[in-house]
């Protein structure tokens, strides 16, 4: 499926798409980290790619940049396999790629983390990332709580009241059932820590202070139907934010440089 995926297109195709109005690049920042006994380490990569592509389709004027990983996952290192980089390296990676996308002709870069641990480091690095992007505008979707609200609303509609910050839970598992069903080890799904830990405390102390199996929340009950609704809720949230920020731009939808 090469539709909208920058790395799977030729430069000739990309040039034509950019000329045709696809001036925005969507940049998802993911992770390679444990996701409990039922989901693979690249879960946030799969989710990032799926969400980015769904957002690009919704916007109609964007392409999907290569998904960036690994991410900041020190709080998952207690389990085998997790690969983590420092916030400084992440900032450099995102800034460098954003600068490259700007030089390659994109006028707007939509930046979003598909992994909770990448929100704070990217927020801190945002001024540096913006300056690396030069003329291109960086639209950030770095409000983790707003994303969680959009997802929890879907769960509530399905009569699910748990509001544990999601990790390898019903939210991630449902979306994986849509985006990579073969990767879900359904027979291995286990309940993890259920509660409302402070998000900063989770990152500072590590997940092992809360959960033995690496899961936060409970994946049991996940369905592809819920997955599709969760993806759509995220896309509506993200597209709404982007359209609102574009409308605040002097000169309207696309800046004065736009045709
Ligand atoms: Zn995840």
């Amino acid at each position: 499926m090469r539709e909208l995926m920058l790395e799977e297109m030729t430069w000739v195709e990309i040039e034509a798409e950019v000329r045709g109005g696809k001036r925005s690049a969507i940049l998802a920042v993911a992770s390679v980290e444990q996701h409990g006994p039922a989901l693979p380490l690249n879960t946030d990569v799969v989710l990032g790619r799926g969400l980015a592509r769904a957002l690009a389709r919704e916007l109609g004027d964007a392409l999907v940049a290569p998904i960036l990983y690994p991410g900041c996952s020190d709080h998952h290192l207690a389990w085998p396999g997790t690969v983590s980089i420092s916030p400084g390296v992440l900032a450099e990676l995102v800034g460098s790629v954003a600068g490259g996308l700007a030089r390659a002709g994109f006028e707007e870069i939509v930046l979003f983390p598909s992994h909770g641990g990448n929100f704070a480091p990217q927020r801190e690095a945002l001024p540096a990332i913006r300056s690396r992007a030069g003329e291109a505008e960086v639209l950030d979707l770095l409000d983790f709580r707003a994303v969680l609200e959009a997802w929890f609303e879907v769960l509530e509609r399905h009569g699910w009241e748990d509001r544990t910050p999601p990790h390898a839970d019903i939210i991630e598992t449902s979306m994986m059932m849509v985006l990579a069903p073969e990767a879900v080890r359904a027979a291995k799904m286990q309940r993890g820590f259920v509660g409302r830990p402070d998000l900063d405390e989770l990152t500072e102390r590590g997940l092992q202070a809360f959960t033995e199996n690496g899961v936060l929340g409970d994946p049991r009950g996940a369905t592809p139907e819920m997955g599709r609704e969760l993806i759509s809720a995220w896309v509506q949230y993200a597209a709404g934010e982007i359209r609102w920020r574009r409308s605040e731009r002097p000169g309207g939808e696309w800046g004065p440089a736009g045709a």
Side-chain angles (χ1 to χ4, degrees), residues 26-44:
I26 300 178
L27 186 56
V29 189
S31 73
V32 178
E33 67 185 24
Q34 73 82 19
H35 270 78
L39 294 177
L41 270 67
N42 73 342
T43 292
D44 295 341

Side-chain angles (χ1 to χ4, degrees), residues 120 123 145 197-205:
R123 266 199 306 272
R145 283 179 175 83
D198 182 75
L199 292 176
D200 294 331
E201 206 190 332
L202 265 185
T203 353
E204 276 156 34
R205 295 178 61 201

Side-chain angles (χ1 to χ4, degrees), residues 118-127 140 142-145 200:
N118 289 344
F119 279 83
Q122 281 183 82
R123 266 199 306 272
E124 274 160 42
L126 200 53
D140 66 285
L142 295 174
D143 184 350
F144 195 24
R145 283 179 175 83
D200 294 331

